Amino acid sequence: MFKTTLAIAAATLTVIAPVAATAQDAEAAAPRKVLQPINYSQQEDPENILLLDLSNGERVAIRLMPSWAPNHVERIKTLAREGFYDGVIFHRVIDGFMAQTGDPTGTGQGGSTYPDLEEEFNFMPHVRGTVSMARAASEDSANSQFFIVFYPRFSLDKRYTNFGRVISNMDAVDRINRGEPPQNPTRIMQASIAADNKPAPAAPRIMTEAEVTADDLNSPIS
């Protein structure tokens, strides 16, 4: 009985071993996805730099990473060039967590007319300055909304599509007004791609009351 059991086990190993070897060979042969590191230079590859001109008067530069999430990067670039993000508020800004934008309705429920994107989760961590795609419950529901992380949130890794990083003026992101939604929300006045060389929009005019002089006070009432 014992010899019979050994013989059956040996036969089983003989069958399994070639399959396992084949699986290992296939895994070794499959190309491993290479994720490029962040390039922090604003003079290089301007085609993949997103510029956000904010209503607080600041310009933020974001390095887009096609090697991490090609379809998401292409969507962001397309929408930016169409002016989709111009005037859109940061509708959900949680202190110590992130600032979310990209919904023209300002409610968190809106998006673009383009179809939702399939997830492109990757192993890049959600560190400070990470720019990642917002989504609904479905992993394949990202559309136009994205968020910028204030502090590391590794619980988001491989659950949200990380597609870029702030490379200039993170301090301006820190000054985005908080709230869900904020009482006085910060807006994206203009989103553009650096390669297009669009100038920053003029700062919004602040209306002030005319100065009241002594002559005004002493003038007759008409």
Side-chain angles (χ1 to χ4, degrees), residues 75 79 84-85 88-89 91-92 100-116 133-136 141-146:
R75 171 64 57 83
L79 293 176
F84 176 86
Y85 293 116
V88 173
I89 68 169
H91 64 271
R92 184 169 182 249
Q100 185 171 329
T101 185
D103 171 15
T105 72
T107 64
Q109 304 299 314
S112 75
T113 57
Y114 292 105
D116 291 345
M133 213 69 174
R135 62 173 176 83
S141 59
N143 186 283
S144 65
Q145 295 188 41
F146 62 88

Short mmCIF file of all heavy atoms in Angstrom, two decimals, residues 75 79 84-85 88-89 91-92 100-116 133-136 141-146:
data_model
loop_
_atom_site.label_atom_id
_atom_site.label_comp_id
_atom_site.label_asym_id
_atom_site.label_seq_id
_atom_site.Cartn_x
_atom_site.Cartn_y
_atom_site.Cartn_z
N ARG A 75 -6.26 61.25 -21.33
CA ARG A 75 -7.56 61.87 -21.01
C ARG A 75 -7.35 63.25 -20.39
O ARG A 75 -8.03 64.22 -20.77
CB ARG A 75 -8.35 60.96 -20.06
CG ARG A 75 -9.63 61.56 -19.47
CD ARG A 75 -10.69 61.87 -20.53
NE ARG A 75 -11.05 60.71 -21.31
CZ ARG A 75 -11.96 59.79 -20.92
NH1 ARG A 75 -12.57 59.92 -19.75
NH2 ARG A 75 -12.24 58.77 -21.69
N LEU A 79 -8.67 66.78 -22.09
CA LEU A 79 -9.62 67.67 -21.41
C LEU A 79 -9.00 69.04 -21.16
O LEU A 79 -9.69 70.07 -21.30
CB LEU A 79 -10.08 67.03 -20.10
CG LEU A 79 -10.96 65.77 -20.25
CD1 LEU A 79 -11.28 65.19 -18.87
CD2 LEU A 79 -12.25 66.07 -21.01
N PHE A 84 -11.77 72.08 -20.60
CA PHE A 84 -12.76 71.46 -19.72
C PHE A 84 -12.58 71.88 -18.27
O PHE A 84 -13.57 72.09 -17.54
CB PHE A 84 -12.65 69.94 -19.85
CG PHE A 84 -13.56 69.16 -18.93
CD1 PHE A 84 -14.86 68.87 -19.31
CD2 PHE A 84 -13.12 68.71 -17.70
CE1 PHE A 84 -15.71 68.15 -18.46
CE2 PHE A 84 -13.95 67.99 -16.85
CZ PHE A 84 -15.24 67.71 -17.24
N TYR A 85 -11.35 72.00 -17.81
CA TYR A 85 -11.09 72.27 -16.40
C TYR A 85 -11.12 73.76 -16.05
O TYR A 85 -11.09 74.11 -14.86
CB TYR A 85 -9.73 71.70 -16.00
CG TYR A 85 -9.67 70.19 -16.02
CD1 TYR A 85 -8.82 69.52 -16.90
CD2 TYR A 85 -10.46 69.43 -15.17
CE1 TYR A 85 -8.77 68.13 -16.93
CE2 TYR A 85 -10.41 68.04 -15.19
CZ TYR A 85 -9.56 67.40 -16.07
OH TYR A 85 -9.51 66.02 -16.10
N VAL A 88 -13.27 75.35 -13.07
CA VAL A 88 -13.77 74.28 -12.19
C VAL A 88 -13.20 74.44 -10.78
O VAL A 88 -12.02 74.75 -10.61
CB VAL A 88 -13.42 72.90 -12.77
CG1 VAL A 88 -13.78 71.78 -11.81
CG2 VAL A 88 -14.12 72.69 -14.11
N ILE A 89 -14.03 74.21 -9.77
CA ILE A 89 -13.59 74.38 -8.38
C ILE A 89 -12.95 73.10 -7.83
O ILE A 89 -13.14 72.01 -8.38
CB ILE A 89 -14.76 74.79 -7.46
CG1 ILE A 89 -15.76 73.62 -7.32
CG2 ILE A 89 -15.43 76.04 -7.97
CD1 ILE A 89 -16.80 73.84 -6.23
N HIS A 91 -13.79 70.89 -5.23
CA HIS A 91 -15.05 70.73 -4.51
C HIS A 91 -14.95 69.89 -3.24
O HIS A 91 -15.85 69.90 -2.41
CB HIS A 91 -16.09 70.08 -5.44
CG HIS A 91 -15.73 68.68 -5.86
ND1 HIS A 91 -14.98 68.42 -6.98
CD2 HIS A 91 -16.03 67.47 -5.32
CE1 HIS A 91 -14.83 67.11 -7.11
NE2 HIS A 91 -15.45 66.52 -6.10
N ARG A 92 -13.86 69.15 -3.10
CA ARG A 92 -13.69 68.30 -1.90
C ARG A 92 -12.23 68.40 -1.46
O ARG A 92 -11.33 67.84 -2.08
CB ARG A 92 -14.04 66.86 -2.23
CG ARG A 92 -14.00 65.91 -1.05
CD ARG A 92 -14.63 64.57 -1.41
NE ARG A 92 -14.64 63.66 -0.29
CZ ARG A 92 -13.89 62.55 -0.22
NH1 ARG A 92 -13.13 62.19 -1.24
NH2 ARG A 92 -13.95 61.76 0.84
N GLN A 100 -9.58 67.61 -4.23
CA GLN A 100 -10.18 66.95 -5.40
C GLN A 100 -10.89 67.97 -6.29
O GLN A 100 -11.55 68.88 -5.80
CB GLN A 100 -11.17 65.88 -4.95
CG GLN A 100 -11.76 65.05 -6.08
CD GLN A 100 -12.58 63.87 -5.56
OE1 GLN A 100 -12.27 63.33 -4.50
NE2 GLN A 100 -13.59 63.46 -6.30
N THR A 101 -10.74 67.79 -7.61
CA THR A 101 -11.34 68.69 -8.58
C THR A 101 -11.70 67.90 -9.84
O THR A 101 -11.62 66.68 -9.86
CB THR A 101 -10.37 69.85 -8.91
OG1 THR A 101 -11.02 70.79 -9.78
CG2 THR A 101 -9.11 69.35 -9.59
N GLY A 102 -12.12 68.63 -10.88
CA GLY A 102 -12.38 67.98 -12.16
C GLY A 102 -13.84 67.73 -12.46
O GLY A 102 -14.17 67.10 -13.47
N ASP A 103 -14.74 68.26 -11.62
CA ASP A 103 -16.18 68.10 -11.85
C ASP A 103 -16.77 69.46 -12.19
O ASP A 103 -16.84 70.34 -11.33
CB ASP A 103 -16.86 67.53 -10.60
CG ASP A 103 -18.37 67.53 -10.71
OD1 ASP A 103 -18.89 67.71 -11.82
OD2 ASP A 103 -19.04 67.37 -9.67
N PRO A 104 -17.21 69.67 -13.43
CA PRO A 104 -17.74 70.99 -13.81
C PRO A 104 -19.02 71.37 -13.07
O PRO A 104 -19.36 72.54 -13.03
CB PRO A 104 -18.00 70.84 -15.32
CG PRO A 104 -18.11 69.37 -15.56
CD PRO A 104 -17.21 68.72 -14.55
N THR A 105 -19.71 70.40 -12.47
CA THR A 105 -20.92 70.73 -11.71
C THR A 105 -20.60 71.17 -10.28
O THR A 105 -21.45 71.74 -9.59
CB THR A 105 -21.89 69.53 -11.64
OG1 THR A 105 -21.34 68.52 -10.76
CG2 THR A 105 -22.12 68.92 -13.01
N GLY A 106 -19.39 70.88 -9.82
CA GLY A 106 -18.98 71.25 -8.47
C GLY A 106 -19.61 70.42 -7.38
O GLY A 106 -19.47 70.73 -6.19
N THR A 107 -20.30 69.34 -7.76
CA THR A 107 -21.00 68.51 -6.77
C THR A 107 -20.26 67.22 -6.42
O THR A 107 -20.61 66.54 -5.47
CB THR A 107 -22.38 68.12 -7.31
OG1 THR A 107 -22.21 67.29 -8.48
CG2 THR A 107 -23.19 69.34 -7.69
N GLY A 108 -19.28 66.86 -7.24
CA GLY A 108 -18.62 65.57 -7.06
C GLY A 108 -19.28 64.45 -7.83
O GLY A 108 -18.81 63.32 -7.80
N GLN A 109 -20.37 64.76 -8.52
CA GLN A 109 -21.13 63.74 -9.25
C GLN A 109 -20.95 63.84 -10.77
O GLN A 109 -21.42 62.97 -11.49
CB GLN A 109 -22.62 63.87 -8.93
CG GLN A 109 -22.95 63.80 -7.45
CD GLN A 109 -22.54 62.47 -6.83
OE1 GLN A 109 -22.80 61.41 -7.39
NE2 GLN A 109 -21.88 62.54 -5.68
N GLY A 110 -20.27 64.87 -11.24
CA GLY A 110 -20.18 65.11 -12.67
C GLY A 110 -18.90 64.61 -13.30
O GLY A 110 -17.99 64.16 -12.62
N GLY A 111 -18.87 64.70 -14.61
CA GLY A 111 -17.69 64.28 -15.36
C GLY A 111 -17.76 64.80 -16.78
O GLY A 111 -18.56 65.68 -17.10
N SER A 112 -16.93 64.23 -17.65
CA SER A 112 -16.92 64.63 -19.06
C SER A 112 -17.89 63.75 -19.85
O SER A 112 -18.47 62.81 -19.32
CB SER A 112 -15.51 64.50 -19.62
OG SER A 112 -15.19 63.12 -19.86
N THR A 113 -18.01 64.06 -21.14
CA THR A 113 -18.85 63.25 -22.01
C THR A 113 -18.13 62.03 -22.55
O THR A 113 -18.74 61.19 -23.21
CB THR A 113 -19.35 64.09 -23.21
OG1 THR A 113 -18.22 64.62 -23.92
CG2 THR A 113 -20.22 65.24 -22.72
N TYR A 114 -16.84 61.92 -22.24
CA TYR A 114 -16.08 60.75 -22.68
C TYR A 114 -16.43 59.54 -21.82
O TYR A 114 -16.84 59.69 -20.66
CB TYR A 114 -14.57 61.03 -22.60
CG TYR A 114 -14.08 62.06 -23.59
CD1 TYR A 114 -13.77 63.35 -23.19
CD2 TYR A 114 -13.94 61.73 -24.93
CE1 TYR A 114 -13.32 64.30 -24.09
CE2 TYR A 114 -13.49 62.67 -25.85
CZ TYR A 114 -13.18 63.96 -25.43
OH TYR A 114 -12.74 64.89 -26.34
N PRO A 115 -16.25 58.33 -22.35
CA PRO A 115 -16.54 57.14 -21.55
C PRO A 115 -15.57 56.99 -20.39
O PRO A 115 -14.45 57.52 -20.43
CB PRO A 115 -16.39 55.98 -22.55
CG PRO A 115 -15.52 56.53 -23.64
CD PRO A 115 -15.83 57.99 -23.73
N ASP A 116 -16.02 56.31 -19.34
CA ASP A 116 -15.13 56.05 -18.20
C ASP A 116 -13.94 55.21 -18.64
O ASP A 116 -13.99 54.47 -19.64
CB ASP A 116 -15.90 55.31 -17.10
CG ASP A 116 -16.95 56.19 -16.45
OD1 ASP A 116 -16.90 57.42 -16.63
OD2 ASP A 116 -17.82 55.65 -15.75
N MET A 133 -6.32 59.63 -9.96
CA MET A 133 -7.66 59.75 -10.54
C MET A 133 -8.73 59.34 -9.52
O MET A 133 -8.62 58.28 -8.88
CB MET A 133 -7.77 58.86 -11.77
CG MET A 133 -8.67 59.39 -12.84
SD MET A 133 -7.96 60.86 -13.62
CE MET A 133 -9.16 61.12 -14.93
N ALA A 134 -9.73 60.17 -9.36
CA ALA A 134 -10.87 59.82 -8.52
C ALA A 134 -11.78 58.87 -9.28
O ALA A 134 -11.78 58.84 -10.51
CB ALA A 134 -11.62 61.07 -8.11
N ARG A 135 -12.56 58.10 -8.55
CA ARG A 135 -13.48 57.16 -9.18
C ARG A 135 -14.64 56.87 -8.25
O ARG A 135 -14.61 57.24 -7.07
CB ARG A 135 -12.77 55.85 -9.54
CG ARG A 135 -12.21 55.08 -8.34
CD ARG A 135 -11.66 53.73 -8.76
NE ARG A 135 -11.03 53.01 -7.67
CZ ARG A 135 -11.67 52.27 -6.76
NH1 ARG A 135 -12.99 52.20 -6.81
NH2 ARG A 135 -11.00 51.63 -5.82
N ALA A 136 -15.67 56.19 -8.77
CA ALA A 136 -16.78 55.72 -7.96
C ALA A 136 -16.43 54.32 -7.43
O ALA A 136 -15.27 53.94 -7.38
CB ALA A 136 -18.06 55.70 -8.79
N SER A 141 -14.25 53.32 -13.26
CA SER A 141 -15.20 54.43 -13.34
C SER A 141 -14.53 55.80 -13.33
O SER A 141 -15.22 56.82 -13.25
CB SER A 141 -16.21 54.35 -12.19
OG SER A 141 -15.55 54.38 -10.93
N ALA A 142 -13.20 55.86 -13.44
CA ALA A 142 -12.53 57.17 -13.50
C ALA A 142 -12.90 57.85 -14.82
O ALA A 142 -13.03 57.21 -15.86
CB ALA A 142 -11.01 56.99 -13.41
N ASN A 143 -13.06 59.18 -14.75
CA ASN A 143 -13.48 59.90 -15.95
C ASN A 143 -12.72 61.21 -16.12
O ASN A 143 -11.89 61.35 -17.01
CB ASN A 143 -14.99 60.16 -15.91
CG ASN A 143 -15.51 60.76 -17.18
OD1 ASN A 143 -15.35 61.96 -17.44
ND2 ASN A 143 -16.14 59.95 -18.02
N SER A 144 -12.98 62.18 -15.25
CA SER A 144 -12.32 63.49 -15.37
C SER A 144 -11.80 64.02 -14.04
O SER A 144 -10.93 64.88 -14.02
CB SER A 144 -13.29 64.51 -15.97
OG SER A 144 -14.38 64.75 -15.09
N GLN A 145 -12.36 63.52 -12.93
CA GLN A 145 -11.98 64.04 -11.62
C GLN A 145 -10.65 63.45 -11.15
O GLN A 145 -10.37 62.27 -11.37
CB GLN A 145 -13.06 63.71 -10.60
CG GLN A 145 -14.40 64.40 -10.86
CD GLN A 145 -15.38 64.21 -9.73
OE1 GLN A 145 -15.00 64.28 -8.56
NE2 GLN A 145 -16.64 63.97 -10.07
N PHE A 146 -9.85 64.31 -10.52
CA PHE A 146 -8.58 63.86 -9.97
C PHE A 146 -8.33 64.56 -8.64
O PHE A 146 -9.01 65.53 -8.29
CB PHE A 146 -7.43 64.10 -10.95
CG PHE A 146 -7.18 65.55 -11.30
CD1 PHE A 146 -6.32 66.35 -10.54
CD2 PHE A 146 -7.81 66.13 -12.40
CE1 PHE A 146 -6.08 67.68 -10.87
CE2 PHE A 146 -7.58 67.47 -12.75
CZ PHE A 146 -6.72 68.24 -11.98
#
